[in-house]
Amino acid sequence: MDHKLYYADAYRDVFTAKVLKQEREEDGNWYAVLNQTAFYPTGGGQPYDAGMIGSSKVINVEEIAGEIRHYLETPLTETNGELVCRIDWERRFDHMQQHCGQHILSAAFEQLFDYETVGFHLGNEIVTIDLETETLSEEDAAKAENMANQIIIENRPIEVKWVTEEELSHYPLRKETKVKDNIRLVIIEDFDYNGCGGTHPHRTGEVHGIKILSWERQRKNIRLQFVCGNRMINQLGQKQKVLLGLTKLLNAPETEMVQAVTRLLETNKSTEKALDQARDQLLDYEARELLAAHTDSAPMISKVFQNRSIQELQKLARLMTLKEETAMVFVVSENENRLQLVCARGAGRAENMKTIMADALAFINGKGGGNPSFAQGGGEARVSGQQMLDHLHAFLTNEGEHVR
Ligand SMILES: [Zn+2]
């Protein structure tokens, strides 16, 4: 255990060490094993320490087969003599704050409501615990958060003790330990007794504070997100920036943000509804105008448009064939590199639109479908909209007998 300097002193960020070996794993990653180290390897929910060994960057640390492997971005050029090693203290202290905050928050939930913590994840931005309960009220979450912050304000000492399994029975442990001898006990007096191999600050005050952010049900548990220490300040900064941006955009104070957005969404909804109605009216007008231009008894209406949706073409064709039962309608839209088209006829005619559409789609490598009175489809813009119409008319003239 002596070679694990982080156990003797969690605040040690610079040390010297001899290289016991430097090897390359099968996947090509270089790693070094030192005679002693302050680099914490991933474990117990706490991520590894980053930093430097000599002039090589440490990018991961894992304890494998009883040795602590320091994975290096580039191999060490010098492996003889003592090397100066330095851990990324900002990263480590952040882990100490989050990890210790987790101890405190988990203990608070257990003391207040008997909710056991069954999972813990220390991510890059957010920390989560999984509580063994299916529901959590706002009120209870606030109570646990208050208790946790009270423990932090009291700045209680955090003690680390190595104990035997027998000695362990003298302490009210929160959870049974997995390790059976040489147990490392982390104690916040009269509050939390925990078997833990992580790094902890000397006093609870160093956690600075705990803020619960949100929670959601995850199978039979509640997954709760929170942050401690400097992450609280960062979160506040980020959220403040977003809120300030919104207060300017919505021209409303922070406290009225929800009402302002609700109003905006309602306005948007009614505007969309009004726009839909106006569009329908416009289509109706357009259909009447196209019909009015044809005075013959069984009008054949065909037109090319630009950038109109298939839905619009469908509505337009439907309106015309409903207003004039003897009408046949071919409408095509040129949409960038696509052609969209609708073929429709009124109830007073007999041509099969499905047959006509199938021929048209083969012409432009397209896809579509429909029924004998109404068909739609789209394909590649191999020809212009007008050429498509000419093709449709030619087919109708040549094959007229077969499409009825
Ligand atoms: Zn711990």
Side-chain angles (χ1 to χ4, degrees):
M1 284 294 171
D2 288 348
H3 67 290
K4 296 178 176 177
L5 301 174
Y6 47 85
Y7 278 160
D9 181 2
Y11 291 80
R12 188 147 177 198
D13 60 342
V14 183
F15 64 100
T16 56
K18 289 192 182 95
V19 180
L20 296 182
K21 68 173 179 185
Q22 173 168 252
E23 280 178 12
R24 199 170 191 182
E25 281 186 347
E26 275 175 22
D27 53 12
N29 293 326
W30 284 97
Y31 71 90
V33 178
L34 308 175
N35 70 327
Q36 56 174 7
T37 185
F39 281 91
Y40 183 80
T42 304
Q46 186 178 331
Y48 64 88
D49 286 329
M52 301 291 288
I53 296 175
S55 54
S56 293
K57 204 169 164 186
V58 177
I59 51 171
N60 188 15
V61 187
E62 302 287 335
E63 189 164 10
I64 295 169
E67 59 185 20
I68 296 175
R69 296 184 179 176
H70 304 78
Y71 291 89
L72 304 166
E73 197 174 64
T74 52
L76 298 167
T77 47
E78 180 56 61
T79 54
N80 294 320
E82 298 262 323
L83 286 177
V84 176
C85 310
R86 190 182 295 273
I87 67 168
D88 178 343
W89 177 248
E90 206 178 305
R91 177 179 162 93
R92 157 66 81 74
F93 188 63
D94 168 60
H95 291 163
M96 281 159 67
Q97 284 187 315
Q98 312 310 318
H99 176 108
C100 184
Q102 182 261 314
H103 276 272
I104 298 169
L105 190 60
S106 287
F109 273 114
E110 184 143 341
Q111 275 201 13
L112 288 169
F113 314 111
D114 245 349
Y115 295 160
E116 204 187 308
T117 295
V118 292
F120 165 48
H121 178 71
L122 206 174
N124 280 331
E125 285 183 13
I126 301 291
V127 192
T128 64
I129 50 173
D130 294 336
L131 296 168
E132 208 173 38
T133 170
E134 291 184 24
T135 55
L136 176 65
S137 67
E138 293 261 353
E139 202 188 347
D140 288 356
K143 273 183 192 161
E145 186 184 272
N146 281 342
M147 181 186 253
N149 281 307
Q150 187 56 38
I151 298 292
I152 292 169
I153 290 165
E154 287 170 14
N155 200 20
R156 297 194 191 185
I158 301 170
E159 213 187 326
V160 176
K161 266 188 187 156
W162 293 92
V163 295
T164 61
E165 197 180 358
E166 202 203 329
E167 289 167 314
L168 203 63
S169 58
H170 305 309
Y171 299 96
L173 234 62
R174 195 145 50 79
K175 219 175 173 179
E176 214 177 297
T177 56
K178 283 179 201 147
V179 192
K180 285 301 166 206
D181 55 20
N182 240 345
I183 301 154
R184 191 167 181 264
L185 208 55
V186 178
I187 302 165
I188 303 170
E189 215 172 70
D190 295 329
F191 185 67
D192 185 39
Y193 300 81
N194 220 335
C196 182
T199 57
H200 308 84
H202 288 151
R203 287 183 167 269
T204 57
E206 290 177 67
V207 178
H208 292 172
I210 292 180
K211 182 69 204 150
I212 293 174
L213 299 175
S214 65
W215 60 90
E216 59 184 8
R217 187 143 162 214
Q218 189 93 12
R219 283 179 223 108
K220 297 227 153 212
N221 299 320
I222 289 288
R223 178 159 292 175
L224 180 126
Q225 296 199 331
F226 66 98
V227 283
C228 306
N230 292 335
R231 291 193 188 196
M232 262 184 358
I233 314 264
N234 293 341
Q235 281 277 331
L236 181 63
Q238 279 173 25
K239 291 185 197 309
Q240 183 62 11
K241 217 172 175 179
V242 171
L243 266 179
L244 265 182
L246 288 175
T247 53
K248 278 178 196 152
L249 278 172
L250 296 167
N251 195 24
E254 211 175 292
T255 48
E256 285 165 30
M257 203 50 52
V258 174
Q259 293 94 309
V261 173
T262 307
R263 269 200 306 275
L264 195 70
L265 289 174
E266 277 164 4
T267 310
N268 192 36
K269 220 173 173 178
S270 55
T271 308
E272 254 172 34
K273 207 172 157 191
L275 192 62
D276 275 349
Q277 280 171 352
R279 277 197 187 119
D280 283 349
Q281 278 172 8
L282 209 58
L283 277 175
D284 195 72
Y285 178 80
E286 203 178 351
R288 279 174 204 280
E289 202 178 41
L290 280 166
L291 283 172
H294 294 79
T295 47
D296 38 330
S297 59
M300 173 72 231
I301 300 152
S302 54
K303 191 161 168 76
V304 178
F305 299 96
Q306 266 81 40
N307 298 318
R308 297 193 76 162
S309 69
I310 189 79
Q311 290 81 5
E312 262 185 314
L313 295 182
Q314 284 172 313
K315 272 186 185 172
L316 194 59
R318 196 157 274 135
L319 282 168
M320 284 190 272
T321 51
L322 280 174
K323 286 180 201 299
E324 178 51 68
E325 287 199 336
T326 60
M328 177 147 58
V329 177
F330 294 159
V331 278
V332 182
S333 181
E334 299 169 338
N335 300 352
E336 284 178 43
N337 51 1
R338 307 266 309 157
L339 273 191
Q340 307 266 47
L341 65 149
V342 171
C343 302
R345 60 143 171 89
R349 301 185 70 125
E351 293 90 341
N352 190 330
M353 297 300 117
K354 227 177 145 180
T355 314
I356 294 176
M357 179 60 71
D359 171 70
L361 291 175
F363 188 45
I364 55 170
N365 194 24
K367 276 184 187 148
N371 57 50
S373 64
F374 197 96
Q376 64 280 308
E380 298 161 12
R382 293 177 169 182
V383 294
S384 70
Q386 187 54 51
Q387 283 169 317
M388 184 76 241
L389 286 181
D390 293 344
H391 180 86
L392 284 166
H393 286 292
F395 181 76
L396 198 62
T397 310
N398 298 333
E399 309 280 331
E401 289 305 307
H402 306 291
V403 297
R404 273 172 223 279

